Amino acid sequence: MKLSERMSRLGTETAFEVLVRARALEAQGKSVVHLEIGEPDFDTPAHVSQAAMAALQAGATHYGPSAGLPELRAAIADDSSRRRGVKATPEMVVVTPGGKPIMFFVILALVDPGDEVLYPNPGFPIYESMIRYIGGVPVPVRLLEEKQFALDVDQLLSRVSRKTRLIILNSPHNPTGGIIPEDGLRAIADAAVKHGIPVLSDEIYGRILYDAEHKSIAALPGMQPLAIVLDGFSKTYAMTGWRLGYGVMPAPFAQQVAKLQTNSTSCTATFTQLAGVAALAGDQGSVDAMVAEFKRRRDVIVEGLRAIPGIQCVRPKGAFYAFPNIFGTGYSARALADRLLDEAGVACLAGTAFGEFGEGHLRFSYANSLANIEEALGRIRALLT
Ligand SMILES: Cc1ncc(COP(=O)(O)O)c(C=O)c1O
């Protein structure tokens, strides 16, 4: 089959490829510690699963409205208003199968061929993939290690041009765990408002924070007509396989995004949406416990990595990734990631899986048990010393 030209510009998410390679090694009887995939190793809270089962038994097995069930849109609007300090209404919410479609839909809806999109690099690989796919021009904003990967706002502002159609932010950030402090958000918001540029703020890790409080650019003055917040249930409630996410955006734009959903997936599964209502309404103790556990693991992995010759590691402020600098080992990111998997049985991702500026780094997801993290650290140390 002859593929369309645009398919040659579609990227991918390496985590899934590394997972397949790691599973193949395991099938040959090799032991692998999985620090590659970005998903909590906790179970979905029991009351959420029970709500889904009750919904299935009650017959919530049919199509629903494209933008999402009214009760979930209302619950998300309330949650967003409370946590972000924005005045969100149900009409501003579009529920999608995971947060990822919001990226795709928003880029499709706003960016024409030749338009520029600013995005973090290293960063979630799907941003660049989608921008290129639709013919946009990706304009990377390099995250600097010396600034604790806090997105270099001056650099971002210097790259805004008359062709900039969209700014993508991600805080807390995958793969570095960095956050954008409030003064940085303010400077970006001022520029966005001045030039009328929409901002897609990916806040999927907004509740997985250790030493800081979550701030959303959507709450800053003048941002309401320009802010699109991406969030979801995958990380916060350990619901990656449920495929449940959402965007909060100006109501007229939400209608356009819902139209893209009508044209693609029709709607998000109905019983999973009812489980989402239960997740937002129910006890949040499981989220707090998970974040406390991630914090313990973060400290162990950061200290462990720092103790290995040739490795330096910034302490991440959020999400569940460590992004150590491995320049001192003499390896490229890809070469070390490959050796770690093939020879030491530690699955991780090369920093370059997150863009060119990820060179010299690896990403370790510490969404794994302390025992496994210790085991991985021992294996990395053995390989490098
Ligand atoms: C930065 C970022 N945004 C969005 C997503 C998408 O999450 P989901 O589609 O599972 O909601 C991920 C998943 O890894 C992510 O790391």
Side-chain angles (χ1 to χ4, degrees):
M1 265 182 244
K2 185 180 172 303
L3 294 178
S4 66
E5 180 272 331
R6 74 178 81 84
M7 280 305 285
S8 66
R9 291 184 260 117
L10 191 65
T12 189
E13 212 183 326
T14 313
F16 291 102
E17 291 173 9
V18 174
L19 180 65
V20 168
R21 278 176 58 204
R23 293 255 186 266
L25 288 171
E26 285 175 315
Q28 294 164 20
K30 298 208 172 111
S31 147
V32 177
V33 184
H34 290 273
L35 302 183
E36 76 279 41
I37 202 91
E39 66 173 347
D41 56 323
F42 296 87
D43 291 332
T44 301
H47 69 277
V48 176
S49 299
Q50 277 152 13
M53 289 187 271
L56 278 170
Q57 275 160 349
T61 53
H62 298 275
Y63 289 133
S66 290
L69 292 179
E71 51 269 59
L72 182 56
R73 293 174 83 193
I76 291 168
D78 278 357
D79 174 68
S80 201
S81 303
R82 222 179 22 253
R83 279 198 299 117
R84 298 193 171 87
V86 289
K87 181 79 201 80
T89 60
E91 297 72 38
M92 294 167 66
V93 176
V94 182
V95 181
T96 42
K100 234 181 202 176
I102 292 292
M103 268 169 225
F104 196 11
F105 293 163
V106 166
I107 293 170
L108 269 175
L110 292 179
V111 181
D112 279 317
D115 287 345
E116 295 179 358
V117 182
L118 300 185
Y119 71 105
N121 187 324
F124 192 56
I126 302 304
Y127 307 141
E128 186 177 328
S129 169
M130 283 299 138
I131 299 164
R132 284 192 193 284
Y133 183 67
I134 59 109
V137 180
V139 179
V141 180
R142 185 175 189 161
L143 268 73
L144 300 174
E145 191 165 6
E146 55 272 31
K147 297 200 172 184
Q148 315 288 301
F149 297 116
L151 196 106
D152 185 353
V153 175
D154 292 338
Q155 194 199 138
L156 181 143
L157 299 180
S158 74
R159 307 207 76 179
V160 171
S161 84
R162 293 218 330 267
K163 288 189 173 169
T164 310
R165 273 297 157 274
L166 179 67
I167 297 172
I168 301 178
L169 304 178
N170 176 213
S171 176
H173 180 249
N174 176 10
T176 66
I179 60 167
I180 308 174
E182 203 172 350
D183 56 345
L185 291 177
R186 278 185 195 287
I188 298 168
D190 288 347
V193 171
K194 184 172 157 208
H195 300 288
I197 304 170
V199 175
L200 171 60
S201 179
D202 183 342
E203 302 179 16
I204 198 103
Y205 298 102
R207 290 186 63 187
I208 305 178
L209 266 171
Y210 310 113
D211 312 309
E213 221 182 278
H214 182 54
K215 299 281 177 208
S216 175
I217 194 164
L220 294 178
M223 280 307 293
Q224 188 99 346
L226 293 170
I228 303 145
V229 173
L230 179 160
D231 202 342
F233 296 76
S234 288
K235 318 288 174 175
T236 310
Y237 298 102
M239 290 173 72
T240 46
W242 293 68
R243 310 313 300 134
L244 189 62
Y246 58 87
V248 184
M249 61 201 85
F253 185 61
Q255 287 178 4
Q256 302 300 317
V257 171
K259 213 155 94 183
L260 281 165
Q261 179 133 276
T262 307
N263 277 269
S264 50
T265 63
S266 292
C267 64
T268 306
T270 313
F271 60 94
T272 61
Q273 292 190 62
L274 292 171
V277 174
L280 290 177
D283 180 23
Q284 303 297 299
S286 65
V287 183
D288 299 336
M290 181 179 77
V291 174
E293 179 58 22
F294 281 152
K295 187 173 184 183
R296 266 191 291 279
R297 297 174 185 179
R298 174 198 68 166
D299 292 339
V300 168
I301 197 162
V302 167
E303 293 314 320
L305 288 167
R306 285 177 176 173
I308 298 172
I311 296 187
Q312 293 167 12
C313 190
V314 168
R315 189 178 301 274
K317 293 193 167 62
F320 38 71
Y321 308 111
F323 200 64
N325 177 324
I326 52 123
F327 275 110
T329 65
Y331 285 98
S332 71
R334 184 63 201 266
L336 186 54
D338 283 348
R339 278 201 73 184
L340 282 171
L341 179 58
D342 296 333
E343 295 172 39
V346 177
C348 67
L349 300 185
T352 41
F354 301 90
E356 58 190 308
F357 297 129
E359 186 50 275
H361 294 79
L362 297 178
R363 189 196 79 170
F364 293 100
S365 162
Y366 49 87
N368 205 328
S369 66
L370 271 179
N372 283 339
I373 290 169
E374 297 277 16
E375 173 65 27
L377 287 167
R379 293 182 186 193
I380 301 167
R381 202 177 304 117
L383 185 89
L384 289 175
T385 46

